[in-house]
Structure formats: C-alpha cells, structure tokens
Amino acid sequence: MIARILYYSSHPQELSYLFQMKKEFAQFKPSEERLTSIASNTSDHEFCYEALKKVSRSFAVVIQQLPKDLQDPVCLFYLILRGLDTVEDDMSIDQKEKEQMLISFADRMNKEAFIMENVGDTQDYRDLMLHFDKVIREYQNLAPGYQQVITDITNRMAMGMNKYAHLSVVSYEDWDDYCHYVAGLVGIGLSQLFLASSLEDSNNLKNETLSNEMGLFLQKTNIIRDYAEDLEQDRVFWPEEAWKSRVEKLEELQKNESKGIEVLNELIINALQHAPACMEYLESLKNTQVFRFCAIPQLMAIATLRELFNNENVLHKNVKIRKGKTAKYFMSITNFEQSKNEFVKILQELSKLDRTGKISAILSKMHTYENV
Ligand code: CA
C-alpha cells in the first residue's frame, strides 16, 4: 500500500489515467439482478449486453469502444464462443455427449434458437445457456457475412476442443497448436469481422498467420502468468518440452527456483517471438477504434511479460502489472508509432537481462519487418 502511494505520488499522470479509467469502467458495472430475471424484461439485444457485462466486464468495456457497426458482431462472437466454452468446461457432461454437443453447436445455431438447461459451472454461465435463444436470435439478425465468420470459427474451435480433450501439450509445436484453437482462432475471426465491416481492408488481415500470432501472443502470456494458479487447480499448460528435461513434475519448479526461472524465461522468449508479427498486423489497421481494440491487449501482454521475466514470484502467485500502467495504455494509446515505441522500449529493457541473445534478435526484426 505505502509503496503504491509513493509510486503514484511520483507518477501523477498514471494516477490521473487510473481515475479516468475507473470512471469508464463504472458505467459497465453488471446488474445486481440475476440474468434469468433480466431475461424476462429485456429485449434480446439488451439481454446480450447485460450478459456480456456479467461474463466479462472488461470485454464489455472494450466493445463499447469499437465502431458502432462492429459492436453487435463482436459481442455475439464473444457470447457464442463463451457458450461453446461453457459446454466444454462443464465436467458433469459425459465426454461422448459433450463432443457431439460441441461439434453440432454452430450447425444448430443456424437452424434453431436453442437453449441448454443445467449446463455451466457458474450461475451466470448456467443463466446464459438457459436464455441462449436470445443470443442466437440476435446472431441470426446479423448480416450474413458476419454470421459466416462466427459459424466458421465456432466449428473450428469445437474441433480443437475435441482434439485437446484427449491430448496434452508436450512440444512447443503442440503449444502453438493448442493456443491456435483457444486464441488464434479468435484473432482470425476478429480480423474477418473487421474485413466484413469494410472498415478495414488490409491483406494483412486476410493473412491467417498474422492474426493467429496476435492471439498466440496474448494466450501464451496468460498461460505463463497463470502458472501457480493453474497448478493449484491441477491444470498444466506449460509445454513439457520446456521443463521435462529439468524436473519430473511441473510443481517441482516451485521448490527449485533457479530451474523455475530458466523455464519461465525460455517460455517468455518463445512468446516474444510473436512480437514482430503483432507489430506488422497493428501497422496495417486504418480505423483508430479498431486499432485501439487490438493494440491495448498486446501492450498489456508485453508489459506483463516484462514484469514476469526473471521473476521468481511467478512460481508462487499471480503477478500482475500495475493498474496505473493498464490505465495509461487504455486512456492514451491512439496510434501505431506510440505502440511500436512501447514494444521496442520493453524489448530493449528485456534484452539487457537476457543472456541468450534471443531477445536482441527479436528486437532487430522489429526494426526491419516493414522492409521485408
Ligand atoms: Ca475451456
């Protein structure tokens, strides 16, 4: 607490951003009312946004910052994938039955406004599924171009969920593949929605590799950060290839911190390999609102990796970046130059700490990618 007061007293700008952001977020406070009662007295459209606030307040805030034409498609894209994920995460459903539910999800959504009873492992998720007909009707009102994107990504993600129900992440290649299904596809889908809106038209958005890497960068950052939390819940997302040669079991890294740091830094360097692709993608965006929507999470990710590098606390708890830093990005990032400068600045700081020289190599790509 004292450290925080001292920090902000010497960084008044960040503190002011923090207040502005708090005000912005306050507008999207989820209703106290349960979704089931909200469902009975709201239109389908209102329900979708109320549901979004309940299941992801931060996403509800960022969606409002998108151009009007994209808000509904992106909101429904999110809610539908959330619905699919709710099925996947419900461990009370029989595995065979679940696979069928996932693989038929998109197809059903195009035929009928269905609901699912007693599916979901939290109250909000169960309520969402109980009124999923409202989400589907709104989806069916979208322009066909948007519907096609959402259907395609939902189908591809369902395939990935079924694939990883039987597989674990062993090699770095598996890690990329797993992250492709859970996050890369979201990046690919968002790019296609931007193109469908005609607000963006760059060939870089048609390039699935670049969009995929945008998602991979965010997902890998989360996976690296969440080590201790995932371990507590018996989940393993760090690829074996990174740690199996050093320890028998992933949790042993908590006791052997020097090995833990080696693995941690190796994973961070792997994630940072996506930075040049992220820059290439961001540079091609024309619409300022779309740009901010894409750039802010990337900046938060690289700032997080900066915080995690060489940091043994990651082995024991969830390390986060300062709220003031989030607020600064949130309130002040408007253009590509600013974002690239921030990326380069952080990579320079990291390259000084990195003894492998790999971060310097990434940094040199950051200066040259636009000429390739
Ligand atoms: Ca899941």
Side-chain angles (χ1 to χ4, degrees):
M1 184 67 189
I2 303 230
R4 217 180 306 158
I5 292 169
L6 282 177
Y7 176 82
Y8 285 120
S9 63
S10 58
H11 296 76
Q13 188 67 49
E14 268 192 29
L15 191 61
S16 133
Y17 286 137
L18 196 58
F19 281 121
Q20 289 176 43
M21 190 178 73
K22 281 210 161 141
K23 241 168 70 189
E24 194 99 9
F25 268 70
Q27 302 168 42
F28 300 100
K29 199 164 170 257
S31 162
E32 303 273 327
E33 230 181 308
R34 259 189 56 188
L35 271 180
T36 35
S37 73
I38 292 173
S40 62
N41 54 29
T42 50
S43 67
D44 292 344
H45 190 263
E46 277 172 276
F47 175 81
C48 287
Y49 283 91
E50 287 300 322
L52 188 65
K53 283 195 263 178
K54 289 266 194 196
V55 297
S56 177
R57 186 174 173 190
S58 54
F59 206 66
V61 178
V62 292
I63 278 189
Q64 300 298 325
Q65 311 225 330
L66 276 172
K68 199 91 197 91
D69 288 355
L70 274 167
Q71 289 179 8
D72 289 353
V74 173
C75 173
L76 290 157
F77 182 48
Y78 184 91
L79 289 176
I80 285 164
L81 294 183
R82 170 59 57 209
L84 189 76
D85 194 44
T86 300
V87 174
E88 190 208 16
D89 289 348
D90 188 331
M91 289 306 154
S92 69
I93 308 172
D94 164 77
Q95 190 52 40
K96 269 268 156 288
E97 191 188 339
K98 184 188 284 186
E99 282 179 23
Q100 198 48 44
M101 283 165 84
L102 293 171
I103 215 69
S104 61
F105 201 92
D107 197 36
R108 268 187 87 188
M109 195 168 82
N110 286 302
K111 291 191 184 123
E112 48 164 340
F114 65 85
I115 63 160
M116 286 181 176
E117 284 176 89
N118 294 317
V119 171
D121 50 19
T122 72
Q123 190 66 64
D124 285 336
Y125 292 166
R126 272 196 296 279
D127 291 350
L128 173 67
M129 299 320 284
L130 192 58
H131 299 284
F132 211 64
D133 55 330
K134 287 172 141 332
V135 175
I136 296 174
R137 279 193 297 271
E138 280 298 298
Y139 157 81
Q140 289 169 347
N141 282 334
L142 292 175
Y146 293 129
Q147 290 187 39
Q148 278 159 22
V149 174
I150 296 174
T151 290
D152 173 52
I153 300 296
T154 306
N155 275 326
R156 290 164 72 181
M157 194 173 286
M159 273 167 41
M161 286 170 169
N162 285 344
K163 179 175 174 184
Y164 279 92
H166 310 284
L167 282 179
S168 60
V169 177
V170 179
S171 64
Y172 274 112
E173 208 177 311
D174 297 340
W175 204 34
D176 281 8
D177 186 64
Y178 171 78
C179 291
H180 161 74
Y181 286 113
V182 299
L185 284 175
V186 176
I188 291 168
L190 285 169
S191 296
Q192 289 172 359
L193 294 176
F194 301 156
L195 291 167
S197 74
S198 301
L199 289 164
E200 297 292 345
D201 58 9
S202 165
N203 276 327
N204 276 0
L205 273 70
K206 294 171 194 154
N207 177 344
E208 288 204 353
T209 310
L210 285 184
S211 305
N212 185 51
E213 289 198 66
M214 289 283 284
L216 258 55
F217 187 58
L218 302 184
Q219 188 66 24
K220 288 182 177 178
T221 300
N222 289 343
I223 288 176
I224 297 168
R225 183 200 57 203
D226 294 343
Y227 166 85
E229 199 179 292
D230 284 335
L231 210 56
E232 223 168 87
Q233 301 182 32
D234 270 327
R235 293 186 302 227
V236 172
F237 295 113
W238 280 20
E240 279 184 21
E241 189 178 338
W243 53 269
K244 241 334 193 311
S245 61
R246 296 181 171 103
V247 286
E248 192 55 40
K249 286 193 172 126
L250 186 58
E251 57 262 38
E252 290 166 25
L253 294 177
Q254 291 187 311
K255 289 204 190 79
N256 195 331
E257 284 188 346
S258 65
K259 283 185 181 168
I261 294 279
E262 279 173 31
V263 178
L264 172 67
N265 290 349
E266 191 180 304
L267 293 175
I268 292 173
I269 291 169
N270 175 287
L272 289 171
Q273 309 284 346
H274 301 299
C278 295
M279 286 299 103
E280 198 176 339
Y281 182 96
L282 290 177
E283 191 176 27
S284 66
L285 297 171
K286 295 194 302 197
N287 181 288
T288 304
Q289 290 167 293
V290 172
F291 172 79
R292 279 174 44 83
F293 178 85
C294 296
I296 292 167
Q298 302 292 325
L299 285 162
M300 284 166 58
I302 195 158
T304 300
L305 293 177
R306 166 76 185 90
E307 205 65 34
L308 305 184
F309 197 83
N310 254 344
N311 184 347
E312 69 280 358
N313 291 329
V314 180
L315 303 170
H316 308 286
K317 62 175 191 192
N318 211 311
V319 175
K320 285 192 174 133
I321 55 173
R322 265 192 330 275
K323 276 225 171 82
K325 181 154 252 166
T326 309
K328 182 180 154 204
Y329 291 150
F330 197 75
M331 301 310 301
S332 73
I333 291 291
T334 54
N335 65 59
F336 177 69
E337 276 311 305
Q338 271 177 315
S339 313
K340 188 181 169 188
N341 290 343
E342 188 70 18
F343 257 74
V344 168
K345 193 190 93 191
I346 293 176
L347 284 170
Q348 279 168 343
E349 287 169 13
L350 285 171
S351 70
K352 289 187 195 122
L353 305 171
D354 166 37
R355 273 173 267 152
T356 69
K358 287 182 180 159
I359 298 182
S360 300
I362 297 168
L363 197 53
S364 66
K365 281 191 202 156
M366 300 286 290
H367 293 295
T368 55
Y369 72 85
E370 58 254 90
N371 309 322
V372 177

